[in-house]
Amino acid sequence: MSAVPAIAFEGVDKTFPASRLHPEVKAARSVSFAIQAGEVVSIIGPSGCGKSTLLNMGSGLAPTTAGVVKVMGVPVQGPHNDVAFMLQKDLLLPWRTIAQNVEFGLELRGVAQAQRRDKSEQLLQQFRLQGFGNNYPHQLSGGMRQRAALARTLAVDPTVLLMDEPFSALDAQTKMILQQDLARSVHAQGKTVLFITHDLAEAVALSDRILVMSERPGTIVEQITVNLPDRDKPMQRRKHPQLGDHVAQLMALLKLDADTDIH
C-alpha cells in the first residue's frame, strides 16, 4: 500500500457565488492530484485559472465547493498546523524586528521565548541574515525581507509549504539566490512544497513534477515529470541542456509562442 500523500486534492470544485457587483465565478473544476512527502510540485497555468484558489483551499483559508483537500490523510477544515503559506508579498509586521517576525508563528503556538530565540538565530544564520535580527523590515532590501519571510515560514516546521509566486517581485539575480535557499532548505528538511509560478524556467529548476492547468474553471490537463538531476541545486539545473526542452514542452501546452512574456 502506498504512503498517505502529504497533501491531496480529491475532486475539488470551487465556485464563488454571484453578488450584487459580481457574477458567479467557477474558479476550479474536478481538480485531483496528490503530492507525496518530500516532493516539490509546481502548478502553472493562465492567469485567473484558479491556482491561488487551490492554495487557499489547501491552507484551510477557503472551503471547497465540492470535493475535499486532505493533509496527511485528514480533511482540511480550517487553518492547519502542518501547513504554512508564503505569498508574493513578504507581509512582515513592520512594528516587529526581523527576529521577532521570524518568531511570530512560534509565539502564537506558545513556544517559550528562549526556544523561539534559538530557532530564529538558527534560521537567520541559515538565510544569511545574521546581524540583522534587530533591524526592522523597512531597513532591509526586498530580497532580504523575502528571505526573512521564508525563515518565518519554516520556523513553525510545517509538513507542507504552499508558496504563491514568492519570488516574482524580485530581480533575476535575487530570485535565483532565493530559489537556491529554498531548494537547499526543503531538501535538507524533507519538506513537501506546492509552488505556484508563471516563470516556466523556475518551475523546471525547482520541481519534481509540474502540473499544468487549463483556463478557468481550472482543472489539471497535464502532468510533467522533470527528469533532471540535483533538485536541491536549481542553478545547476538552469545550466542543464534539457531545461530548454522542458520549457518548450510547457510553452506548447500553454499555447505560448516565442514572443510571449512567460513571467
Side-chain angles (χ1 to χ4, degrees), residues 67-95:
V68 65
V69 183
K70 295 180 180 179
V71 172
M72 301 305 294
V74 179
V76 173
Q77 297 179 331
H80 199 297
N81 281 346
D82 286 330
V83 178
F85 203 164
M86 185 173 173
L87 303 173
Q88 178 178 338
K89 295 182 179 180
D90 59 70
L91 299 180
L92 297 175
L93 301 175
W95 59 87

Side-chain angles (χ1 to χ4, degrees), residues 152-190:
R152 180 185 59 188
T153 302
L154 291 172
V156 296
D157 195 24
T159 300
V160 178
L161 279 71
L162 305 178
M163 311 190 80
D164 194 350
E165 299 189 71
F167 309 139
S168 62
L170 303 174
D171 64 85
Q173 180 177 337
T174 302
K175 178 189 290 191
M176 285 191 285
I177 292 171
L178 266 291
Q179 290 168 354
Q180 191 82 355
D181 288 342
L182 172 66
R184 286 173 175 167
S185 297
V186 301
H187 179 78
Q189 299 176 34

Side-chain angles (χ1 to χ4, degrees), residues 5 20 35 41 67 101 104 165 167 202 221 240 261:
R20 185 173 61 86
I35 304 177
V41 174
N101 269 284
F104 184 59
E165 299 189 71
F167 309 139
E202 178 176 65
V221 295
H240 198 285
D261 181 3

Side-chain angles (χ1 to χ4, degrees), residues 190-256:
K191 300 299 182 187
T192 304
V193 181
L194 180 56
F195 191 95
I196 289 177
T197 181
H198 283 96
D199 183 336
L200 304 187
E202 178 176 65
V204 175
L206 290 176
S207 306
D208 296 302
R209 289 185 290 139
I210 301 170
L211 306 178
V212 183
M213 290 188 72
S214 67
E215 293 186 352
R216 188 172 63 239
T219 193
I220 306 299
V221 295
E222 191 65 74
Q223 172 183 287
I224 304 299
T225 299
V226 179
N227 293 312
L228 299 180
D230 300 323
R231 194 202 70 197
D232 59 325
K233 300 174 183 176
M235 290 188 186
Q236 293 288 352
R237 278 191 164 192
R238 284 181 175 274
K239 300 175 186 177
H240 198 285
Q242 291 183 7
L243 181 137
D245 295 337
H246 282 296
V247 170
Q249 182 182 13
L250 295 172
M251 290 179 68
L253 288 167
L254 293 172
K255 297 180 173 58
L256 301 174

Side-chain angles (χ1 to χ4, degrees), residues 51-63 85 87 162 164:
K51 299 185 295 295
S52 296
T53 299
L54 292 183
L55 294 199
N56 287 333
M57 291 186 288
S59 66
L61 296 177
F85 203 164
L87 303 173
L162 305 178
D164 194 350

Side-chain angles (χ1 to χ4, degrees), residues 81 93 96 100-113 116 152 156:
N81 281 346
L93 301 175
R96 294 176 70 110
Q100 290 169 343
N101 269 284
V102 173
E103 297 171 25
F104 184 59
L106 297 172
E107 185 178 336
L108 292 178
R109 295 186 182 186
V111 176
Q113 183 177 20
R116 299 199 311 262
R152 180 185 59 188
V156 296

